[in-house]
Amino acid sequence: MRHSERHRTHRTGWLRAAVLGANDGIVSTASLVLGVAATGAGTQAILVAGVASLVAGAMSMAAGEYVSVSSQADTENADLAREKAELADNPQQEHAELTAIYVKRGLDHPLASQVATQLMQKNALEAHARDELGISDTLAAKPVQAALASAATFAAGAALPLLVVLLLPASALMWGVAGTSLFFLAALGLIAAQAGGSPLLVSTARVSFWGALAMGLTAGVGALFGVAA
C-alpha cells in the first residue's frame, strides 16, 4: 500500500510574506480608520486616510520584503560562490567535510564516504549547498516573489476595513470596523494555520489578540488627543 505524506515546508517562503502582508493590511488600516473616526472625522476623511494607508503600506511592504529578502539572497549567493571556488581548489577536503556531515547524521564512515562521492559526482555544489550550507530550492530566498506576495496581500487586507467603511453608516462605523476586522483577522489565522499545518486555535488567537490590541490603542489615542495616530 502506497504511503502518502503531505509536507508544507515548501510553502514557508510565500506563506510568511502573504500572512504578514494581509495581517498588516487589516491591522494598520483598521487601526488608522478607528483612530481617525475617534476624532469625529467624517466618512470622506476616513476613506481618504484609509486609501492613503493602503497605497503607502502596500509599497512599503513590497520594498521592505524585497530589500530584506534580497540581502538574504546576496548572502546565499556569496556562500555558493565561495563553496564553488573551494570545490574547484580542494575537492578532497570538501569531500571529507561532506562525509563528516553524514557521519554526524548517523552513517558509518565508509557508507558516508560513498554517499558523499556519489552526490558530488552528480552535483557537488548542490550537495554542499543543501547539506553543508542549508540552502535548497525550496527554502532559497526569492525577493520578487516575497515582494509581490506582501504587496498584494497587504492591499487585499487593507481593502476589507475600507469596504466596511463604505457600507456602514457613520454611527456604526467604530464598532463595525473593529468587529469585522477582528473577524477578518481570525479568518486569516485559520487560513494560515490550515495552509501551514499549525494548530488552528493558537494561530487564530495570536493574530486576533495583537490586532485587537493595535486597534484599541490607536482608537484610544485618536479619542484622547483628537488626532489620527
Side-chain angles (χ1 to χ4, degrees):
M1 184 176 180
R2 184 176 179 180
H3 176 58
S4 177
E5 293 183 345
R6 296 180 61 192
H7 298 289
R8 297 177 173 88
T9 306
H10 64 284
R11 300 176 179 174
T12 54
W14 65 263
L15 183 60
R16 180 191 66 84
V19 170
L20 178 63
N23 182 80
D24 277 5
I26 296 171
V27 172
S28 63
T29 304
S31 296
L32 182 63
V33 164
L34 292 175
V36 176
T39 69
T43 301
Q44 184 176 359
I46 294 172
L47 280 174
V48 170
V51 171
S53 173
L54 185 155
V55 175
M59 294 306 299
S60 176
M61 289 291 293
E65 281 290 334
Y66 185 82
V67 170
S68 63
V69 180
S70 291
S71 298
Q72 178 186 342
D74 290 342
T75 301
E76 291 177 356
N77 290 333
D79 283 344
L80 289 173
R82 188 179 302 109
E83 193 66 29
K84 185 176 182 180
E86 291 174 353
L87 284 167
D89 294 340
N90 197 343
Q92 292 80 12
Q93 178 62 33
E94 292 302 305
H95 181 276
E97 288 182 359
L98 204 57
T99 299
I101 290 172
Y102 298 141
V103 169
K104 287 183 179 180
R105 292 181 181 176
L107 300 181
D108 57 52
H109 192 278
L111 180 56
S113 179
Q114 183 181 359
V115 170
T117 298
Q118 292 186 9
L119 289 177
M120 289 183 67
Q121 287 175 346
K122 181 180 180 181
N123 191 323
L125 183 59
E126 179 181 307
H128 281 268
R130 181 182 60 249
D131 295 323
E132 182 180 349
L133 304 178
I135 300 173
S136 66
D137 289 338
T138 300
L139 302 178
K142 297 179 176 63
V144 174
Q145 182 189 68
L148 291 177
S150 291
T153 53
F154 183 97
L160 295 175
L162 293 182
L163 181 61
V164 175
V165 173
L166 285 172
L167 296 176
L168 291 181
S171 59
L173 201 59
M174 291 287 292
W175 289 108
V177 170
T180 55
S181 295
L182 285 176
F183 172 79
F184 295 143
L185 288 170
L188 174 64
L190 287 173
I191 294 170
Q194 185 65 32
S198 58
L200 299 180
L201 183 60
V202 173
S203 178
T204 303
R206 180 171 54 216
V207 173
S208 300
F209 170 77
W210 289 107
L213 180 62
M215 288 187 288
L217 289 175
T218 311
V221 170
L224 182 63
F225 296 101
V227 295

